[in-house]
Amino acid sequence: MINSRFFNRSELIGFIALAAVLFVILPLSLDVFRLNLVAKYLTYAFVAIGLVLCWGYGGILSLGQGVFFGLGGYCMAMFLKLEASSVENTKIQSTPGIPDFMDWNQITALPLFWQPFHSLTFTIAAIILVPGLFALIIGTAMFKRRVGGTYFAIITQAVAAILTILIVGQQGYTGGINGMTDLRTLKGWDIRPDHAKIILYFVEVILLFACIGIAQFIRLTKLGRILVAMREQEDRVRFSGYSVANFKIFAFCMAAVFAAIGGAMFALNVGFMSPSFVGIVPSIEMVIYTAVGGRMSIFGAVWGSLLVNFAKTGLSESFPQLWLFGLGALFIAVVLAFPNGLSGIWADYVQPRIDRLLASRKSKPKDGWNSVADGAPAE
Amino acid sequence: MFGDYSIGDLGSIFVMQGFAGLILFSVYVLMALGLAIIFGQMGVINMAHGEFMILGAYVTWLTSNTFQSYLPSLFSGYFFLAMILAFLASGALGMLVEWVLIRHLYKRPLDTLLATWGLSLMLQQTYRSVFGPREVGVELPQWMLGSLKVTDSIEVPINGVFVMGLTVLITIVVAYVLYKSRWGRQVRAVVQNRIMAGAVGINTEKVDRYTFGLGCGIAGIAGSAFTMIGSTGPTSGQLYIVDTFLVVVFGGAASLLGTIASAFSISQTQSTLEFFMSGSMAKVLTLLAVVGILMLRPQGLFALKVRK
């Protein structure tokens, strides 16, 4: 049964609430600095939405989402860096016109793979295609051979380690451990002043809602159903004649593309990109935002990314000693007590009470997280 | 590339490089043995494994400081006591963690990953609060310094030889415990079929707890051995975790022999490549090769043939 409505009632409320917070409440109540922080947190929400699709629904836990976040971010950063390294801007270098870190590393000509990043069209295509193709290769190699579960998780983790070491090691081509800093303009438009930050924030929120829409669409079609079926009983789906591997590859690629969009927005909003957002630690943190928000809920993932990051910033500002404790305890608590995260708590405890308060005359079956998560129509 | 060296020089370089690879091999085996039990046998993804190693290292550091201040005459032998203490401390912590955390998650292996990651964050902060953020190094007793001169151009460091000997010893003990002892049979029975093992009278909860404790204890010994080679800081554990998991997965998770074979091939590849290129590129190529082979042989080098 496919729900004919795009959102059921509780999802519609969730959608309106999220839109109100992101479009109205936060921009009106926060100063530009804080709003920029929110923009930074929201870039992880893109990753988290992808993880809801591939982990929550497909049951594929990827510990390498930082790789795709990084690939997207580096594609964007390379374009911005080239624009910031015009001949006038880099007069003092021994070879003007190339990025500063290349100059420091005695590289005198722009490497070949940098050349196409002069074009914004190419860059935007690359942000989608490079991570997408990379995910396609990894996914094909793994899922066609029925590698899954923990093995897949560990191999993606190794990929994240490889990419980090590569970026750090090839300083002349990638900016090394410092990453690409001092990004200034996008097609001549300065991305640093306050009004630009606000515009970029809204662009990002619009993109985020586009991704939510796509994810919701995937969830509600037959594809989403098959993903869930695969997670629960993979063999039965296979015996029913579906190509399990192809569905998994698709979910993994979608998650990779979402993560890459997040990464590209990160480079624009924050103004730099570095290997510290690529490796294992950030990749696991992204999984944890999803877990805290609720691995079965698209909106939950967005809230999870926002709240955990707010908590992280807040706690590390006021109690630098305690924040790792708090964060660690939070993850353990979520895993042990609330496997469906905040959205599970909401659906299991808060929503029934609200429903009871609103107590319509119609007798309504209990709306547990299951039905919310699977998009089953509330009767 | 080889133009500047004579044949004899090249020979000794390869021997030295091979020996460096052997030390790396011992380190990998020590790191991976504990994980091979926890992940390979029990199926628990313990992301805090590195932190258990660090605990062993800190225990060794404390022991060495205690000996230095109170028992300077026995300092040359502190290491043996330190290793036992490291084993006990990490093992005890492991059993506590199993009781509080892991036993609720046996049916959700992927969730053990998240929970133990949370645990590793908490342990890191504990180390930072207790021992300070800086790296600590252990002072080695006199007999462990210096190196053995094998020929004119080949020298091997004594602490490296010591770590290798230790690795061999611990591997033999672990293999004996798992494959020959009564308790090891119980462990493997529980791993293969928990319900059936329980039905024939094995106390599965107790076996689980001690197995996890043993794995963590070996991690503690590994950490203790590391203090002879390098220094230790609160976040050092995270550096090892990927390598360790790859070694175990590459070898075929449930096979001890596989773990050893994979540690050997990975370490030799890396140390040989390191001679030709920068360390980071050697590491990248090694890891790429491992990932590539894993894509061809997803169950690892030595997959056990079991019915699922």
Side-chain angles (χ1 to χ4, degrees):
Chain A
M1 270 203 305
I2 296 168
N3 193 353
S4 55
R5 280 175 299 168
F6 196 59
F7 291 116
N8 65 29
R9 193 182 60 113
S10 65
E11 283 171 338
L12 193 66
I13 296 172
F15 176 80
I16 293 170
L18 186 69
V21 168
L22 292 184
F23 276 112
V24 183
I25 298 176
L26 287 181
L28 287 180
S29 60
L30 297 178
D31 55 43
V32 176
F33 173 73
R34 292 275 161 187
L35 196 65
N36 192 233
L37 273 185
V38 173
K40 183 178 153 189
Y41 304 158
L42 282 180
T43 58
Y44 297 122
F46 286 88
V47 188
I49 293 173
L51 277 170
V52 168
L53 273 189
C54 93
W55 180 36
Y57 282 85
I60 312 156
L61 176 54
S62 159
L63 291 184
Q65 291 308 100
V67 168
F68 306 117
F69 188 82
L71 286 175
Y74 266 97
C75 285
M76 193 75 229
M78 279 160 83
F79 173 78
L80 297 174
K81 188 73 199 171
L82 279 182
E83 207 172 294
S85 322
S86 61
V87 179
E88 312 89 77
N89 281 342
T90 51
K91 281 197 287 281
I92 48 164
Q93 290 177 185
S94 49
T95 42
I98 62 168
D100 44 13
F101 56 82
M102 291 188 189
D103 193 58
W104 301 331
N105 285 285
Q106 282 85 40
I107 290 174
T108 48
L110 199 62
L112 203 60
F113 74 97
W114 272 77
Q115 299 287 0
F117 285 94
H118 279 296
S119 144
L120 183 61
T121 327
F122 176 85
T123 306
I124 291 172
I127 289 169
I128 308 286
L129 291 179
V130 170
L133 283 176
F134 196 55
L136 185 68
I137 295 169
I138 298 178
T140 309
M142 307 290 288
F143 297 131
K144 288 283 183 196
R145 298 191 62 87
R146 302 194 188 172
V147 182
T150 45
Y151 285 81
F152 183 76
I154 287 163
I155 290 177
T156 47
Q157 194 178 39
V159 173
I162 293 172
L163 190 67
T164 320
I165 299 172
L166 198 63
I167 292 174
V168 174
Q170 298 297 312
Q171 200 177 10
Y173 299 109
T174 61
I177 190 88
N178 300 320
M180 293 186 198
T181 49
D182 197 22
L183 309 177
R184 296 172 190 174
T185 54
L186 177 74
K187 278 277 174 196
W189 177 64
D190 200 329
I191 58 169
R192 288 165 299 173
D194 285 356
H195 62 87
K197 297 269 183 215
I198 293 173
I199 291 173
L200 281 173
Y201 170 82
F202 281 108
V203 171
E204 183 181 333
V205 175
I206 291 168
L207 274 176
L208 185 71
F209 275 93
C211 287
I212 291 175
I214 296 172
Q216 179 76 0
F217 179 72
I218 292 175
R219 230 192 61 175
L220 291 182
T221 54
K222 198 172 170 187
L223 184 78
R225 299 266 158 199
I226 293 172
L227 282 180
V228 174
M230 234 164 50
R231 185 194 64 202
E232 299 299 334
Q233 283 287 335
E234 190 176 321
D235 284 335
R236 286 196 194 172
V237 179
R238 187 174 287 130
F239 298 153
S240 308
Y242 292 102
S243 163
V244 167
N246 288 348
F247 287 104
K248 284 189 173 178
I249 294 168
F250 177 78
F252 185 53
C253 288
M254 279 315 288
V257 170
F258 284 165
I261 296 173
M265 286 314 296
F266 182 92
L268 274 174
N269 267 309
V270 183
F272 74 97
M273 189 68 212
S274 89
S276 56
F277 305 102
V278 177
I280 292 155
V281 177
S283 299
I284 293 185
E285 285 190 351
M286 291 167 195
V287 171
I288 278 161
Y289 305 148
T290 317
V292 170
R295 70 185 75 166
M296 299 303 301
S297 161
I298 294 167
F299 295 115
V302 178
W303 287 114
S305 318
L306 276 178
L307 292 177
V308 176
N309 275 297
F310 264 121
K312 191 172 161 176
T313 314
L315 278 174
S316 59
E317 269 172 11
S318 27
F319 310 100
Q321 293 283 313
L322 283 178
W323 80 267
L324 272 181
F325 268 129
L327 220 55
L330 177 68
F331 303 150
I332 294 177
V334 164
V335 171
L336 280 186
F338 311 106
N340 289 296
L342 294 175
S343 71
I345 297 178
W346 173 267
D348 281 349
Y349 298 101
V350 184
Q351 188 135 33
R353 294 218 175 130
I354 295 176
D355 284 347
R356 228 171 295 148
L357 277 178
L358 296 174
S360 58
R361 211 66 50 81
K362 278 185 291 179
S363 66
K364 194 172 176 302
K366 206 180 148 216
D367 197 12
W369 66 267
N370 254 326
S371 53
V372 173
D374 295 345
E379 285 169 41
Chain B
M1 190 181 286
F2 301 115
D4 305 336
Y5 304 102
S6 71
I7 301 290
D9 283 345
L10 267 181
S12 6
I13 285 168
F14 275 108
V15 171
M16 297 277 276
Q17 214 62 27
F19 192 80
L22 278 182
I23 295 178
L24 192 65
F25 163 62
S26 317
V27 168
Y28 277 161
V29 169
L30 277 181
M31 294 194 310
L33 270 182
L35 202 67
I37 295 171
I38 291 174
F39 174 64
Q41 301 286 334
M42 305 178 75
V44 173
I45 314 177
N46 183 15
M47 295 303 285
H49 195 72
E51 277 64 40
F52 283 101
M53 287 193 244
I54 303 304
L55 179 66
Y58 275 121
V59 168
T60 309
W61 177 69
L62 285 178
T63 320
S64 110
N65 282 2
T66 316
F67 269 67
Q68 232 165 1
S69 329
Y70 301 105
L71 297 162
S73 56
L74 296 175
F75 185 71
S76 58
Y78 84 87
F79 204 82
F80 301 98
L81 178 66
M83 275 194 307
I84 294 169
L85 289 178
F87 177 80
L88 292 178
S90 298
L93 183 65
M95 278 157 71
L96 179 71
V97 166
E98 201 275 345
W99 183 66
V100 175
L101 193 62
I102 308 290
R103 70 188 168 119
H104 305 291
L105 300 173
Y106 283 121
K107 287 185 185 145
R108 300 186 274 154
L110 283 179
D111 283 2
T112 57
L113 186 154
L114 299 179
T116 49
W117 181 258
L119 176 73
S120 87
L121 289 184
M122 293 172 81
L123 285 177
Q124 276 173 32
Q125 186 54 47
T126 314
Y127 299 150
R128 199 171 289 130
S129 310
V130 175
F131 300 105
R134 267 187 295 168
E135 302 223 325
V136 297
V138 169
E139 196 166 322
L140 291 178
Q142 205 60 43
W143 59 269
M144 252 188 233
L145 303 171
S147 53
L148 294 171
K149 235 173 156 58
V150 182
T151 68
D152 279 345
S153 50
I154 300 175
E155 283 184 20
V156 291
I158 292 175
N159 55 4
V161 178
F162 186 80
V163 173
M164 278 160 55
L166 186 70
T167 308
V168 172
L169 185 73
I170 290 172
T171 312
I172 292 171
V173 170
V174 168
Y176 177 80
V177 166
L178 274 187
Y179 292 103
K180 294 285 176 221
S181 74
R182 181 184 163 76
W183 183 73
R185 272 204 300 280
Q186 292 189 347
V187 171
R188 286 182 295 141
V190 171
V191 166
Q192 281 191 2
N193 193 332
R194 192 176 301 272
I195 298 165
M196 196 63 88
V200 298
I202 296 174
N203 184 346
T204 58
E205 286 186 10
K206 202 170 151 192
V207 169
D208 280 331
R209 191 150 318 141
Y210 281 102
T211 315
F212 197 82
L214 175 71
C216 292
I218 295 171
I221 296 185
S224 180
F226 282 0
T227 55
M228 288 186 287
I229 302 172
S231 53
T232 308
T235 51
S236 310
Q238 270 176 4
L239 301 176
Y240 306 128
I241 197 75
V242 173
D243 289 336
T244 316
F245 266 109
L246 269 190
V247 167
V248 175
V249 168
F250 187 49
S255 153
L256 267 193
L257 183 68
T259 302
I260 292 162
S262 87
F264 185 79
S265 42
I266 292 176
S267 58
Q268 289 301 326
T269 313
Q270 184 167 340
S271 76
T272 313
L273 286 176
E274 253 168 34
F275 178 67
F276 297 109
M277 57 189 80
S278 71
S280 66
M281 280 316 283
K283 181 113 195 174
V284 166
L285 280 184
T286 314
L287 290 181
L288 270 182
V290 170
V291 169
I293 295 173
L294 274 179
M295 286 178 174
L296 298 175
R297 271 189 77 88
Q299 298 301 318
L301 293 176
F302 290 73
L304 288 186
K305 290 197 170 53
V306 286
R307 268 193 261 172
K308 283 189 191 155

